[in-house]
Amino acid sequence: QVQLLESGGGLVQAGGSLRLSCAASGLTFSSYTMAWFRQAPGQEREFVAAIIQSGRATNIYNADSTKGRFTISRDNDKNTVYLQMNSLKPEDTAVYYCAASPSTYGLGYSSSYSYWGQGTQVTVSS
């Protein structure tokens, strides 16, 4: 069974930082594109960042709203993907979801991902 387990969410003041983790099991981690999405109440699920392992190369893609503030990374030995979030803003408040896709296409669309974690809450106060 495939499982994605997020952790690291919490309450932080604007300008602060959080590091989210997503531990994956039940899949060949290095073969999957990993991504983070977020969803605020009443809003659509929004793409945050994705990371692809292509041989020895690692390619990352960020939403415009998170470029320069959020950094996605992965540790294939630990089957874990991370999201380092700096300079947090109140508008970053959302449930953050980890996702896995067997392909390298359609990375910004939630329908492209086969597996999802349960989400972790990030709240940024002003």
Side-chain angles (χ1 to χ4, degrees), residues 21 114 118:
S21 298
S114 301
Q118 81 289 345

Side-chain angles (χ1 to χ4, degrees), residues 30-115:
S30 61
S31 298
Y32 277 76
T33 296
M34 302 300 297
W36 291 94
F37 286 75
R38 66 187 183 185
Q39 187 169 22
Q43 304 296 316
E44 295 183 356
R45 189 162 296 188
E46 177 188 22
F47 172 74
V48 175
I51 184 165
I52 299 170
Q53 191 72 48
S54 180
R56 296 178 61 186
T58 301
N59 300 314
I60 62 174
Y61 302 88
N62 282 83
D64 289 341
S65 61
T66 64
K67 287 181 179 178
R69 299 190 300 121
F70 292 7
T71 303
I72 189 171
S73 62
R74 65 193 297 162
D75 186 335
N76 292 332
D77 291 334
K78 296 182 178 179
N79 287 1
T80 300
V81 62
Y82 305 95
L83 185 68
Q84 179 66 48
M85 303 185 293
N86 299 325
S87 301
L88 283 162
K89 305 174 182 179
E91 51 263 45
D92 295 319
T93 295
V95 176
Y96 283 71
Y97 296 92
C98 176
S101 171
S103 76
T104 59
Y105 299 96
L107 301 180
Y109 300 92
S110 60
S111 60
S112 299
Y113 294 83
S114 301
Y115 305 106

Side-chain angles (χ1 to χ4, degrees), residues 5-28:
L5 182 60
E6 301 101 330
S7 62
L11 176 64
V12 65
Q13 292 185 337
S17 299
L18 285 173
R19 190 192 192 203
L20 306 184
S21 298
C22 173
S25 61
L27 54 76
T28 304

